[in-house]
Amino acid sequence: MTTLIVLAVDDEAPARDELAFLLGEHPAVGQVQTAADATEALRALAERRFDAAFLDISMPGLSGMELAAVLSRYVEPPAIVFVTAHDDRALQAYEVGAVDYILKPLREER
């Protein structure tokens, strides 16, 4: 079974750590790399290919939405999942190609 390589991007360390932990517990996920902001995420994406990117929407600098728009132009973009406290941005998330939209606080079953 092929396992997924995922990137978890959130500017808040506790949220990022919780997301990385939950992703790491999932049997389909083989590796989880984290980034504290979009710039760090873009550096990681330049170094390797990720199957999925889990993005917070509100981050300083480039937002998760803006990062997703950049990723949508990749030849082989990662699947985008937004993980956010904003319940009013789902339509915009799907417009930039998100495959899922998960609201905080995170629940293991999601």
Side-chain angles (χ1 to χ4, degrees):
M1 177 179 154
T2 303
T3 56
L4 301 173
I5 301 170
V6 300
L7 179 62
V9 186
D10 197 311
D11 61 311
E12 296 178 8
R16 185 174 59 247
D17 293 346
E18 179 183 19
L19 177 58
F21 173 78
L22 291 171
L23 288 168
E25 292 292 303
H26 195 283
V29 175
Q31 295 178 25
V32 179
Q33 185 169 336
T34 62
D37 58 34
T39 302
E40 192 177 326
L42 288 169
R43 277 192 219 108
L45 288 152
E47 293 173 6
R48 73 183 308 180
R49 186 185 179 291
F50 290 89
D51 298 301
F54 288 74
L55 309 177
D56 185 23
I57 288 180
S58 293
M59 295 186 290
L62 205 62
S63 74
M65 286 291 177
E66 293 166 325
L67 177 57
V70 170
L71 297 180
S72 72
R73 294 192 289 268
Y74 279 35
V75 173
E76 291 185 46
I80 301 296
V81 177
F82 284 102
V83 181
T84 182
H86 298 277
D87 63 356
D88 60 341
R89 307 284 296 275
L91 180 59
Q92 185 181 2
Y94 289 112
E95 287 174 349
V96 295
V99 297
D100 205 350
Y101 192 89
I102 302 171
L103 290 175
K104 294 177 183 177
L106 298 175
R107 295 184 328 269
E108 187 175 348
E109 61 272 9
R110 279 293 281 146

XYZ file of all heavy atoms in Angstrom:
839
model
N 0.837 -1.188 0.000
C 0.000 0.000 0.000
C 0.877 1.244 0.000
O 1.774 1.393 0.811
C -0.891 -0.015 1.249
C -1.741 1.193 1.393
S -2.768 1.033 2.875
C -3.035 2.726 3.227
N 0.606 2.133 -0.930
C 1.330 3.389 -1.002
C 0.792 4.330 0.060
O -0.412 4.456 0.234
C 1.151 4.038 -2.386
O 1.583 3.124 -3.374
C 1.936 5.306 -2.494
N 1.702 4.976 0.771
C 1.268 5.929 1.780
C 1.486 7.351 1.270
O 2.338 7.602 0.425
C 2.009 5.727 3.110
O 3.415 5.820 2.877
C 1.674 4.377 3.717
N 0.704 8.250 1.804
C 0.727 9.641 1.371
C 1.800 10.441 2.093
O 2.073 10.220 3.274
C -0.632 10.278 1.643
C -1.834 9.625 0.973
C -3.120 10.270 1.469
C -1.731 9.719 -0.537
N 2.358 11.395 1.375
C 3.276 12.373 1.950
C 2.507 13.680 1.992
O 2.042 14.177 0.961
C 4.545 12.517 1.103
C 5.269 11.175 1.000
C 5.464 13.586 1.692
C 6.393 11.164 -0.012
N 2.321 14.228 3.201
C 1.481 15.413 3.352
C 2.229 16.565 4.012
O 3.190 16.360 4.761
C 0.182 15.109 4.135
C -0.647 14.048 3.421
C 0.485 14.681 5.540
N 1.762 17.753 3.721
C 2.303 18.981 4.286
C 1.204 19.653 5.094
O 0.094 19.863 4.587
C 2.771 19.911 3.158
C 3.359 21.259 3.551
C 4.617 21.081 4.392
C 3.663 22.082 2.307
N 1.488 19.968 6.343
C 0.538 20.648 7.230
C 1.048 22.074 7.463
O 2.146 22.256 7.988
C 0.421 19.902 8.552
N 0.244 23.057 7.079
C 0.668 24.461 7.159
C -0.286 25.237 8.063
O -1.469 25.370 7.771
C 0.699 25.105 5.753
C 1.280 26.517 5.839
C 1.471 24.257 4.762
N 0.253 25.740 9.166
C -0.532 26.547 10.102
C 0.436 27.422 10.876
O 1.486 26.945 11.330
C -1.327 25.649 11.060
C -2.460 26.388 11.755
O -2.208 27.491 12.301
O -3.581 25.869 11.767
N 0.096 28.699 11.036
C 0.987 29.615 11.744
C 0.933 29.450 13.259
O 1.800 29.933 13.964
C 0.708 31.069 11.359
C -0.700 31.501 11.713
O -1.647 30.768 11.381
O -0.857 32.577 12.323
N -0.079 28.761 13.771
C -0.197 28.541 15.215
C 0.378 27.170 15.561
O -0.157 26.136 15.123
C -1.652 28.641 15.651
C -2.231 30.030 15.428
C -3.703 30.121 15.808
O -4.246 29.159 16.389
O -4.310 31.153 15.510
N 1.459 27.175 16.333
C 2.170 25.928 16.643
C 1.278 24.842 17.256
O 1.346 23.689 16.826
C 3.373 26.209 17.536
N 0.419 25.145 18.254
C -0.414 24.076 18.812
C -1.344 23.445 17.771
O -1.504 22.219 17.724
C -1.215 24.773 19.916
C -0.402 25.971 20.286
C 0.257 26.408 18.999
N -1.938 24.267 16.910
C -2.827 23.751 15.863
C -2.042 22.923 14.855
O -2.496 21.862 14.410
C -3.545 24.901 15.171
N -0.868 23.399 14.483
C -0.004 22.683 13.540
C 0.417 21.340 14.115
O 0.363 20.314 13.436
C 1.208 23.553 13.200
C 2.117 22.992 12.149
C 3.218 23.975 11.765
N 4.062 24.364 12.886
C 4.123 25.580 13.413
N 3.384 26.554 12.931
N 4.921 25.839 14.428
N 0.813 21.332 15.384
C 1.234 20.092 16.035
C 0.085 19.086 16.135
O 0.272 17.892 15.907
C 1.798 20.379 17.430
C 3.107 21.154 17.385
O 3.728 21.247 16.296
O 3.497 21.696 18.434
N -1.111 19.576 16.478
C -2.270 18.683 16.574
C -2.614 18.102 15.205
O -2.868 16.896 15.077
C -3.482 19.429 17.141
C -4.715 18.548 17.230
C -5.943 19.290 17.721
O -5.985 20.533 17.658
O -6.876 18.599 18.156
N -2.588 18.931 14.178
C -2.881 18.463 12.830
C -1.854 17.426 12.393
O -2.218 16.364 11.875
C -2.905 19.644 11.852
C -3.138 19.319 10.388
C -4.455 18.582 10.184
C -3.091 20.598 9.558
N -0.583 17.708 12.625
C 0.472 16.754 12.246
C 0.305 15.436 12.991
O 0.471 14.358 12.407
C 1.846 17.357 12.524
N -0.041 15.502 14.267
C -0.250 14.283 15.052
C -1.410 13.468 14.480
O -1.286 12.258 14.251
C -0.511 14.624 16.524
C -0.899 13.427 17.335
C 0.055 12.514 17.755
C -2.227 13.187 17.658
C -0.301 11.386 18.489
C -2.603 12.067 18.382
C -1.637 11.164 18.805
N -2.558 14.119 14.253
C -3.728 13.407 13.738
C -3.467 12.814 12.354
O -3.869 11.681 12.065
C -4.947 14.326 13.714
C -5.507 14.714 15.077
C -6.581 15.791 14.942
C -6.059 13.499 15.812
N -2.790 13.563 11.508
C -2.455 13.039 10.187
C -1.513 11.846 10.301
O -1.679 10.847 9.605
C -1.815 14.129 9.324
C -2.748 15.223 8.831
C -1.955 16.382 8.252
C -3.730 14.673 7.822
N -0.537 11.942 11.185
C 0.423 10.858 11.378
C -0.210 9.581 11.905
O 0.316 8.485 11.688
N -1.325 9.709 12.588
C -2.038 8.549 13.123
C -2.859 7.820 12.058
O -3.256 6.681 12.257
C -2.970 8.977 14.265
C -2.231 9.438 15.513
C -1.500 8.291 16.192
O -2.152 7.310 16.545
O -0.258 8.383 16.321
N -3.125 8.479 10.945
C -3.957 7.878 9.901
C -3.134 6.844 9.122
O -2.012 7.130 8.709
C -4.482 8.952 8.960
C -5.596 8.481 8.101
N -5.399 7.684 7.009
C -6.925 8.680 8.184
C -6.551 7.400 6.450
N -7.506 8.005 7.149
N -3.679 5.657 8.908
C -2.913 4.600 8.244
C -2.514 4.915 6.798
O -1.533 4.357 6.303
C -3.844 3.384 8.292
C -5.193 3.907 8.599
C -5.013 5.210 9.310
N -3.216 5.810 6.124
C -2.879 6.144 4.745
C -1.736 7.157 4.643
O -1.189 7.380 3.571
C -4.101 6.684 4.016
N -1.374 7.775 5.761
C -0.339 8.813 5.763
C 0.991 8.208 6.202
O 1.099 7.627 7.276
C -0.741 9.984 6.685
C 0.389 11.012 6.773
C -2.021 10.634 6.185
N 1.984 8.359 5.346
C 3.305 7.833 5.650
C 4.224 8.863 6.257
O 4.998 8.571 7.167
N 4.172 10.092 5.750
C 5.047 11.155 6.241
C 4.261 12.459 6.337
O 3.454 12.763 5.457
C 6.227 11.379 5.302
C 7.178 10.209 5.199
C 8.300 10.496 4.200
O 8.638 11.646 3.934
N 8.854 9.450 3.632
N 4.562 13.207 7.403
C 3.956 14.524 7.586
C 5.084 15.526 7.794
O 5.937 15.344 8.668
C 3.017 14.572 8.818
C 2.435 15.973 8.981
C 1.924 13.527 8.708
N 5.104 16.549 6.974
C 6.041 17.652 7.160
C 5.211 18.871 7.513
O 4.086 19.022 7.034
C 6.848 17.894 5.887
C 7.930 18.946 6.059
C 8.888 18.983 4.872
O 9.043 18.002 4.155
N 9.508 20.129 4.674
N 5.742 19.739 8.353
C 5.000 20.926 8.753
C 5.691 22.193 8.281
O 6.894 22.207 8.016
C 4.839 20.988 10.292
O 6.131 21.069 10.892
C 4.089 19.777 10.818
N 4.893 23.251 8.178
C 5.396 24.579 7.839
C 4.594 25.592 8.636
O 3.389 25.434 8.825
C 5.256 24.845 6.344
N 5.269 26.647 9.088
C 4.636 27.663 9.925
C 3.982 28.781 9.123
O 3.230 29.572 9.676
C 5.655 28.247 10.897
N 4.260 28.857 7.834
C 3.648 29.878 6.989
C 3.787 29.478 5.525
O 4.417 28.467 5.203
C 4.255 31.261 7.246
C 5.760 31.322 7.032
O 6.280 30.614 6.143
O 6.428 32.091 7.741
N 3.208 30.276 4.655
C 3.204 29.949 3.229
C 4.604 29.961 2.634
O 4.917 29.143 1.769
C 2.290 30.916 2.485
N 5.454 30.871 3.081
C 6.813 30.931 2.555
C 7.572 29.647 2.869
O 8.226 29.071 1.993
C 7.563 32.156 3.138
O 6.829 33.338 2.798
C 8.970 32.254 2.605
N 7.459 29.184 4.099
C 8.099 27.925 4.488
C 7.498 26.757 3.705
O 8.199 25.846 3.284
C 7.919 27.712 5.996
C 8.764 26.607 6.573
C 8.610 26.487 8.085
O 8.414 27.522 8.765
O 8.690 25.354 8.574
N 6.201 26.811 3.476
C 5.531 25.762 2.695
C 6.055 25.741 1.266
O 6.322 24.663 0.714
C 4.027 25.980 2.717
N 6.212 26.901 0.654
C 6.715 26.957 -0.722
C 8.135 26.421 -0.820
O 8.485 25.757 -1.793
C 6.618 28.388 -1.267
C 5.201 28.853 -1.581
C 5.157 30.350 -1.847
C 4.621 28.076 -2.754
N 8.946 26.682 0.212
C 10.301 26.108 0.231
C 10.236 24.584 0.264
O 10.968 23.907 -0.452
C 11.093 26.626 1.437
C 11.717 27.972 1.210
C 12.732 28.306 2.307
N 12.600 29.708 2.608
C 12.068 30.216 3.717
N 11.662 29.447 4.684
N 11.991 31.510 3.886
N 9.369 24.054 1.121
C 9.226 22.599 1.231
C 8.726 22.013 -0.089
O 9.212 20.962 -0.535
C 8.272 22.247 2.370
N 7.782 22.680 -0.728
C 7.223 22.208 -1.994
C 8.236 22.275 -3.131
O 8.135 21.521 -4.097
C 5.977 23.017 -2.348
C 4.760 22.698 -1.475
C 3.835 23.889 -1.365
C 4.024 21.490 -2.042
N 9.225 23.151 -3.014
C 10.283 23.229 -4.019
C 11.260 22.065 -3.868
O 11.929 21.680 -4.831
C 11.027 24.559 -3.900
N 11.326 21.498 -2.663
C 12.281 20.421 -2.386
C 11.725 19.033 -2.669
O 12.480 18.111 -2.945
C 12.738 20.488 -0.929
C 13.553 21.719 -0.620
C 13.867 21.861 0.858
O 13.553 20.944 1.647
O 14.425 22.908 1.216
N 10.413 18.864 -2.567
C 9.826 17.536 -2.778
C 8.368 17.667 -3.171
O 7.751 18.696 -2.997
C 9.971 16.679 -1.525
C 9.042 17.118 -0.397
C 9.190 16.367 0.890
N 9.128 14.938 0.725
C 9.236 14.085 1.718
N 9.407 14.525 2.943
N 9.166 12.799 1.511
N 7.849 16.550 -3.669
C 6.442 16.496 -4.063
C 5.613 15.995 -2.886
O 6.006 15.060 -2.196
C 6.275 15.547 -5.251
C 4.873 15.547 -5.791
C 4.675 14.518 -6.891
N 3.328 14.513 -7.373
C 2.275 14.101 -6.670
N 2.413 13.659 -5.443
N 1.062 14.122 -7.196
N 4.478 16.635 -2.663
C 3.540 16.217 -1.620
C 2.254 15.752 -2.285
O 1.827 16.317 -3.285
C 3.236 17.374 -0.664
C 4.402 17.743 0.204
C 5.329 18.677 -0.215
C 4.579 17.140 1.441
C 6.411 19.017 0.573
C 5.658 17.467 2.238
C 6.582 18.405 1.805
N 1.645 14.735 -1.702
C 0.367 14.246 -2.215
C -0.775 15.169 -1.809
O -1.755 15.316 -2.549
C 0.091 12.832 -1.689
C 1.146 11.854 -2.169
O 1.310 11.711 -3.395
O 1.825 11.247 -1.313
N -0.658 15.769 -0.626
C -1.710 16.648 -0.113
C -1.094 17.742 0.747
O -0.058 17.545 1.378
C -2.718 15.850 0.708
N -1.772 18.885 0.755
C -1.378 20.003 1.618
C -2.604 20.411 2.427
O -3.674 20.672 1.863
C -0.868 21.177 0.793
N -2.450 20.430 3.733
C -3.502 20.839 4.659
C -3.171 22.265 5.077
O -2.149 22.499 5.730
C -3.547 19.896 5.863
C -4.093 18.532 5.524
C -3.335 17.619 4.799
C -5.373 18.171 5.915
C -3.835 16.369 4.478
C -5.889 16.920 5.594
C -5.119 16.017 4.870
N -4.018 23.212 4.704
C -3.706 24.634 4.864
C -4.681 25.343 5.783
O -5.900 25.213 5.636
C -3.767 25.335 3.497
C -3.000 24.725 2.337
C -3.264 25.525 1.075
C -1.518 24.658 2.652
N -4.116 26.143 6.695
C -4.926 27.102 7.441
C -5.218 28.251 6.481
O -4.434 28.527 5.561
C -4.140 27.586 8.659
C -4.946 28.494 9.564
O -6.189 28.430 9.545
O -4.325 29.274 10.312
N -6.331 28.929 6.664
C -6.658 30.044 5.774
C -5.981 31.328 6.225
O -5.328 32.006 5.445
C -8.190 30.244 5.666
C -8.783 29.110 4.848
C -8.518 31.597 5.023
C -10.269 29.175 4.665
N -6.120 31.674 7.503
C -5.581 32.941 8.006
C -4.162 32.750 8.523
O -3.949 32.137 9.562
C -6.460 33.474 9.142
O -7.716 33.827 8.643
N -3.224 33.291 7.759
C -1.821 33.263 8.164
C -1.214 34.603 7.793
O -1.665 35.240 6.841
C -1.069 32.135 7.433
C -1.539 30.749 7.780
S -0.515 29.456 7.043
C -0.946 29.614 5.304
N -0.200 35.034 8.532
C 0.464 36.288 8.158
C 1.167 36.134 6.811
O 1.566 35.036 6.439
C 1.473 36.522 9.289
C 1.589 35.237 10.019
C 0.368 34.425 9.714
N 1.259 37.227 6.081
C 1.864 37.147 4.751
C 0.866 36.538 3.782
O -0.309 36.901 3.778
N 1.310 35.592 3.010
C 0.457 34.897 2.055
C -0.547 34.034 2.804
O -0.173 33.219 3.638
C 1.350 34.023 1.173
C 0.890 33.630 -0.211
C 0.696 34.858 -1.098
C 1.910 32.695 -0.843
N -1.837 34.208 2.522
C -2.868 33.418 3.205
C -2.925 32.006 2.614
O -2.352 31.733 1.557
C -4.236 34.086 3.044
O -4.714 33.903 1.720
N -3.654 31.138 3.280
C -3.854 29.788 2.768
C -4.566 29.789 1.422
O -4.272 28.981 0.550
N -5.520 30.696 1.240
C -6.220 30.812 -0.043
C -5.248 31.217 -1.152
O -5.285 30.673 -2.251
C -7.348 31.841 0.032
C -8.559 31.400 0.782
S -9.452 30.096 -0.072
C -10.718 29.817 1.143
N -4.403 32.188 -0.840
C -3.426 32.643 -1.839
C -2.427 31.534 -2.152
O -2.058 31.334 -3.312
C -2.716 33.897 -1.335
C -3.636 35.095 -1.240
C -3.057 36.247 -0.436
O -2.331 36.001 0.546
O -3.352 37.400 -0.798
N -2.003 30.803 -1.125
C -1.096 29.683 -1.338
C -1.756 28.617 -2.211
O -1.134 28.089 -3.132
C -0.653 29.087 0.001
C 0.248 27.850 -0.065
C 1.520 28.123 -0.857
C 0.583 27.373 1.347
N -3.013 28.310 -1.952
C -3.736 27.328 -2.763
C -3.818 27.766 -4.221
O -3.692 26.940 -5.135
C -5.129 27.095 -2.194
N -4.011 29.060 -4.450
C -4.063 29.575 -5.821
C -2.721 29.364 -6.520
O -2.674 28.991 -7.699
C -4.455 31.048 -5.824
N -1.624 29.576 -5.803
C -0.292 29.321 -6.361
C -0.138 27.836 -6.672
O 0.307 27.454 -7.758
C 0.818 29.795 -5.390
C 2.189 29.314 -5.851
C 0.795 31.306 -5.246
N -0.524 26.985 -5.740
C -0.371 25.538 -5.917
C -1.214 25.011 -7.064
O -0.830 24.043 -7.729
C -0.725 24.799 -4.630
C 0.156 25.106 -3.419
C -0.302 24.311 -2.209
C 1.613 24.840 -3.723
N -2.355 25.642 -7.323
C -3.230 25.185 -8.406
C -2.563 25.324 -9.768
O -2.986 24.684 -10.730
C -4.556 25.944 -8.384
O -4.376 27.276 -8.814
N -1.514 26.125 -9.863
C -0.805 26.316 -11.126
C 0.346 25.316 -11.309
O 0.986 25.323 -12.356
C -0.306 27.752 -11.221
C -1.456 28.753 -11.323
C -1.002 30.138 -11.696
N -0.270 30.831 -10.654
C -0.794 31.627 -9.742
N -2.093 31.830 -9.731
N -0.042 32.228 -8.845
N 0.604 24.492 -10.307
C 1.650 23.471 -10.424
C 1.234 22.435 -11.468
O 0.039 22.157 -11.642
C 1.869 22.764 -9.088
C 2.750 23.489 -8.100
C 2.752 24.870 -7.990
C 3.571 22.776 -7.248
C 3.552 25.514 -7.074
C 4.381 23.407 -6.323
C 4.367 24.788 -6.240
O 5.165 25.421 -5.324
N 2.203 21.823 -12.117
C 1.919 20.762 -13.079
C 1.244 19.589 -12.377
O 0.271 19.034 -12.873
C 3.224 20.306 -13.781
C 2.965 19.098 -14.653
C 3.805 21.447 -14.604
N 1.759 19.211 -11.231
C 1.158 18.155 -10.407
C 0.908 18.710 -9.014
O 1.688 18.474 -8.092
C 2.079 16.939 -10.326
C 2.224 16.182 -11.628
C 3.049 14.925 -11.467
O 2.808 14.170 -10.494
O 3.949 14.721 -12.287
N -0.179 19.473 -8.839
C -0.424 20.091 -7.529
C -0.851 19.050 -6.494
O -1.469 18.041 -6.834
C -1.571 21.060 -7.812
C -2.289 20.459 -8.967
C -1.230 19.784 -9.800
N -0.503 19.308 -5.238
C -1.010 18.428 -4.187
C -2.512 18.661 -4.006
O -3.019 19.738 -4.340
C -0.236 18.887 -2.945
C 0.115 20.310 -3.222
C 0.311 20.409 -4.711
N -3.198 17.666 -3.491
C -4.599 17.856 -3.119
C -4.629 18.878 -1.986
O -3.794 18.828 -1.074
C -5.212 16.540 -2.678
N -5.562 19.806 -2.034
C -5.643 20.866 -1.028
C -6.808 20.587 -0.089
O -7.941 20.376 -0.528
C -5.855 22.250 -1.681
C -4.719 22.588 -2.637
C -6.029 23.337 -0.615
C -3.364 22.731 -1.997
N -6.515 20.623 1.208
C -7.535 20.522 2.247
C -7.354 21.732 3.148
O -6.256 21.968 3.657
C -7.382 19.221 3.072
C -8.416 19.179 4.198
C -7.501 17.996 2.172
N -8.410 22.501 3.319
C -8.336 23.628 4.244
C -8.742 23.159 5.636
O -9.710 22.419 5.789
C -9.233 24.778 3.789
C -8.645 25.543 2.645
C -9.092 25.334 1.356
C -7.619 26.448 2.854
C -8.542 26.014 0.287
C -7.055 27.137 1.796
C -7.519 26.928 0.512
N -7.981 23.595 6.617
C -8.257 23.306 8.025
C -8.309 24.672 8.695
O -7.277 25.321 8.868
C -7.161 22.421 8.648
C -7.490 22.111 10.092
C -6.981 21.140 7.838
N -9.511 25.112 9.074
C -9.678 26.506 9.464
C -10.809 26.700 10.458
O -11.702 25.859 10.561
C -9.936 27.360 8.201
O -10.057 28.727 8.562
C -11.195 26.912 7.478
N -10.771 27.815 11.146
C -11.860 28.194 12.041
C -12.916 29.016 11.297
O -13.965 29.308 11.839
C -11.315 29.003 13.218
N -12.639 29.377 10.057
C -13.550 30.207 9.263
C -14.590 29.342 8.567
O -14.279 28.626 7.627
C -12.768 31.007 8.215
C -11.794 31.959 8.813
N -12.166 33.213 9.256
C -10.477 31.835 9.069
C -11.108 33.819 9.753
N -10.084 33.008 9.657
N -15.826 29.447 9.000
C -16.882 28.641 8.382
C -17.510 29.327 7.172
O -18.374 28.766 6.513
C -17.956 28.264 9.407
C -18.692 29.464 9.972
O -18.337 30.614 9.641
O -19.637 29.257 10.753
N -17.033 30.522 6.838
C -17.643 31.289 5.760
C -16.805 31.352 4.482
O -17.099 32.122 3.579
C -17.919 32.713 6.241
C -16.658 33.441 6.666
O -15.635 32.783 6.938
O -16.699 34.686 6.735
N -15.780 30.529 4.387
C -14.890 30.606 3.221
C -14.901 29.336 2.372
O -14.078 29.169 1.477
C -13.456 30.876 3.687
C -13.251 32.072 4.615
C -13.290 33.417 3.935
N -12.233 33.633 2.994
C -11.017 34.068 3.278
N -10.683 34.342 4.520
N -10.134 34.246 2.326
N -15.827 28.422 2.657
C -15.855 27.135 1.966
C -16.031 27.298 0.461
O -15.336 26.638 -0.325
C -16.937 26.237 2.546
N -16.941 28.138 0.025
C -17.161 28.321 -1.410
C -15.884 28.781 -2.092
O -15.491 28.240 -3.129
C -18.297 29.316 -1.657
C -18.621 29.582 -3.122
C -19.021 28.300 -3.842
C -19.720 30.619 -3.238
N -15.228 29.760 -1.498
C -13.969 30.255 -2.059
C -12.929 29.134 -2.078
O -12.162 29.013 -3.033
C -13.464 31.447 -1.242
C -12.226 32.086 -1.826
C -11.723 33.253 -0.992
O -12.274 33.581 0.052
N -10.660 33.876 -1.451
N -12.907 28.304 -1.040
C -11.948 27.189 -0.968
C -12.158 26.220 -2.125
O -11.197 25.798 -2.782
C -12.090 26.459 0.364
N -13.395 25.878 -2.384
C -13.666 24.941 -3.481
C -13.399 25.587 -4.840
O -13.034 24.902 -5.793
C -15.080 24.373 -3.370
C -15.187 23.410 -2.213
C -15.955 23.721 -1.090
C -14.485 22.208 -2.206
C -16.037 22.851 -0.015
C -14.556 21.338 -1.126
C -15.335 21.660 -0.049
O -15.398 20.809 1.017
N -13.538 26.896 -4.933
C -13.233 27.594 -6.183
C -11.748 27.537 -6.526
O -11.387 27.601 -7.699
C -13.711 29.045 -6.120
C -15.217 29.177 -6.208
C -15.712 30.599 -5.992
O -14.921 31.479 -5.575
O -16.906 30.831 -6.235
N -10.882 27.420 -5.507
C -9.443 27.295 -5.771
C -9.013 25.833 -5.809
O -7.827 25.534 -5.821
C -8.566 28.099 -4.773
C -8.805 29.585 -4.911
C -8.738 27.620 -3.358
N -9.984 24.917 -5.837
C -9.656 23.516 -6.050
C -9.521 22.646 -4.818
O -9.003 21.537 -4.911
N -9.984 23.104 -3.677
C -9.890 22.290 -2.457
C -10.709 21.008 -2.607
O -11.766 21.008 -3.233
C -10.388 23.076 -1.254
N -10.191 19.931 -2.023
C -10.928 18.666 -2.026
C -11.714 18.470 -0.734
O -12.608 17.635 -0.675
C -10.007 17.451 -2.269
C -9.359 17.548 -3.642
C -8.965 17.310 -1.187
N -11.376 19.262 0.302
C -12.120 19.187 1.555
C -11.913 20.483 2.332
O -10.996 21.260 2.047
C -11.665 17.987 2.387
C -12.736 17.493 3.361
O -13.770 18.176 3.546
O -12.542 16.424 3.952
N -12.775 20.678 3.326
C -12.785 21.893 4.135
C -13.144 21.454 5.543
O -14.285 21.075 5.800
C -13.839 22.848 3.564
C -13.802 24.250 4.098
C -13.014 25.219 3.495
C -14.600 24.623 5.177
C -13.025 26.535 3.951
C -14.604 25.931 5.637
C -13.817 26.877 5.017
O -13.817 28.168 5.465
N -12.175 21.449 6.431
C -12.355 20.937 7.789
C -12.336 22.102 8.768
O -11.408 22.911 8.758
C -11.251 19.922 8.146
C -11.268 18.761 7.143
C -11.418 19.414 9.573
C -10.097 17.822 7.277
N -13.355 22.165 9.612
C -13.429 23.237 10.609
C -12.716 22.861 11.900
O -12.772 21.711 12.330
C -14.890 23.581 10.909
C -15.655 24.280 9.786
C -17.117 24.457 10.185
C -15.031 25.617 9.451
N -12.046 23.857 12.470
C -11.441 23.708 13.785
C -12.535 23.944 14.812
O -13.444 24.723 14.554
C -10.319 24.729 13.998
C -9.138 24.527 13.101
C -8.114 25.633 13.332
C -6.920 25.524 12.409
N -5.979 26.638 12.585
N -12.501 23.355 15.982
C -11.457 22.438 16.437
C -11.548 21.105 15.706
O -12.618 20.652 15.311
C -11.739 22.268 17.938
C -13.196 22.570 18.095
C -13.529 23.557 17.005
N -10.366 20.524 15.501
C -10.279 19.266 14.768
C -10.904 18.116 15.541
O -10.847 18.076 16.767
C -8.818 18.941 14.477
C -8.069 19.948 13.614
C -6.616 19.570 13.498
C -8.718 20.054 12.251
N -11.488 17.215 14.774
C -12.023 15.977 15.348
C -11.338 14.825 14.648
O -11.167 14.853 13.417
C -13.539 15.899 15.145
C -14.318 16.973 15.886
C -15.828 16.816 15.746
N -16.317 16.251 14.513
C -16.653 16.954 13.425
N -16.539 18.269 13.430
N -17.113 16.373 12.337
N -10.953 13.838 15.390
C -10.203 12.709 14.845
C -10.921 12.050 13.668
O -10.295 11.689 12.678
C -9.935 11.678 15.936
C -9.038 10.559 15.510
C -8.705 9.625 16.646
O -8.987 9.953 17.810
O -8.154 8.562 16.355
N -12.241 11.924 13.736
C -12.971 11.241 12.674
C -12.941 12.010 11.346
O -13.100 11.424 10.290
C -14.419 10.950 13.077
C -15.268 12.165 13.387
C -15.200 12.631 14.844
O -14.359 12.123 15.605
O -15.976 13.517 15.206
N -12.707 13.314 11.367
C -12.607 14.109 10.127
C -11.230 13.976 9.545
O -10.993 14.138 8.395
C -12.909 15.579 10.394
C -14.379 15.882 10.467
C -15.114 15.705 9.169
N -14.881 16.858 8.296
C -14.800 16.765 6.998
N -14.913 15.645 6.380
N -14.590 17.834 6.285
